[in-house]
Amino acid sequence: MASFNEHINQSKHNFLFFEKVINMDKTNYLDWCVTICFYVSVHLINAHIAQRANLHYKSHYEVEREINPYNKSICSLNKFVYLSYKKLSMLSRRARYLLKESDNNEVAHYIRDEHLIKALKHLDSLITYFCKEHSINDFPVIEINDNNISDLKLNYIK
């Protein structure tokens, strides 16, 4: 199973890939941009669980149960970080399956610019939290060639 450092390295790798994709052609790949954001966070979460409890989960359900602040696990996150992860997960599901969690799914729900903005805010808060929580000092800061995004004042996304 992957170690803390291996998960962190994969998260960094995915984050740098995200930078390439979004700067290459954001308009045509909004769905992939949101999906990559989610998988950056998946590895941050799995690093956290590996570090705190030496646990290695294979399903998203197991991971969510472990980090849920109401389950009082050694890996529980505060509710704001947990909700950022959940919202990023839902945005990724929308991107991958064209569905909205709170809908009857009779129509396809596509990813738009505002969804990417939400994903970036959630991802940045997750990166900020885990870098502080686990003393990660070398997480990359990426630059995105989009004024709407660079105006967001995020820590890891400029």
Side-chain angles (χ1 to χ4, degrees):
M1 289 292 168
S3 69
F4 171 82
N5 287 330
E6 289 165 332
H7 279 298
I8 294 299
N9 288 337
Q10 188 64 42
S11 185
K12 292 174 187 177
H13 173 77
N14 291 353
F15 195 51
L16 293 172
F17 177 63
F18 167 75
E19 179 183 33
K20 289 180 183 193
V21 172
I22 197 166
N23 285 323
M24 177 181 61
D25 188 358
K26 177 188 83 140
T27 305
N28 288 316
Y29 299 109
L30 283 173
D31 56 339
W32 280 107
C33 289
V34 169
T35 300
I36 297 167
C37 286
F38 174 64
Y39 283 101
V40 171
S41 75
V42 164
H43 284 285
L44 289 171
I45 295 286
N46 280 298
H48 173 75
I49 293 170
Q51 181 78 3
R52 289 279 188 264
N54 195 27
L55 296 172
H56 310 277
Y57 292 118
K58 295 181 180 173
S59 79
H60 293 296
Y61 173 77
E62 291 174 315
V63 167
E64 281 191 29
R65 186 186 69 230
E66 193 65 37
I67 64 172
N68 187 316
Y70 303 104
N71 287 343
K72 303 298 182 203
S73 155
I74 191 172
C75 301
S76 294
L77 301 174
N78 73 51
K79 69 179 180 178
F80 300 107
V81 176
Y82 175 72
L83 287 175
S84 280
Y85 177 75
K86 288 286 291 177
K87 289 176 182 178
L88 193 50
S89 174
M90 288 188 289
L91 287 166
S92 174
R93 286 182 51 78
R94 180 185 187 122
R96 290 177 286 146
Y97 306 117
L98 303 179
L99 60 84
K100 186 176 173 186
E101 298 289 328
S102 62
D103 198 334
N104 59 11
N105 301 319
E106 291 180 10
V107 298
H109 294 277
Y110 296 97
I111 294 293
R112 297 184 304 273
D113 280 336
E114 62 262 27
H115 299 112
L116 176 61
I117 297 294
K118 289 178 184 179
L120 294 175
K121 289 177 181 178
H122 293 305
L123 179 59
D124 192 70
S125 69
L126 288 165
I127 294 170
T128 300
Y129 173 83
F130 286 112
C131 285
K132 183 177 178 187
E133 185 71 17
H134 294 284
S135 301
I136 302 165
N137 299 316
D138 63 345
F139 207 89
V141 174
I142 63 170
E143 291 190 29
I144 297 176
N145 305 322
D146 182 323
N147 289 338
N148 293 330
I149 293 171
S150 59
D151 290 344
L152 293 176
K153 307 281 190 265
L154 302 173
N155 294 317
Y156 291 89
I157 303 162
K158 305 294 179 194

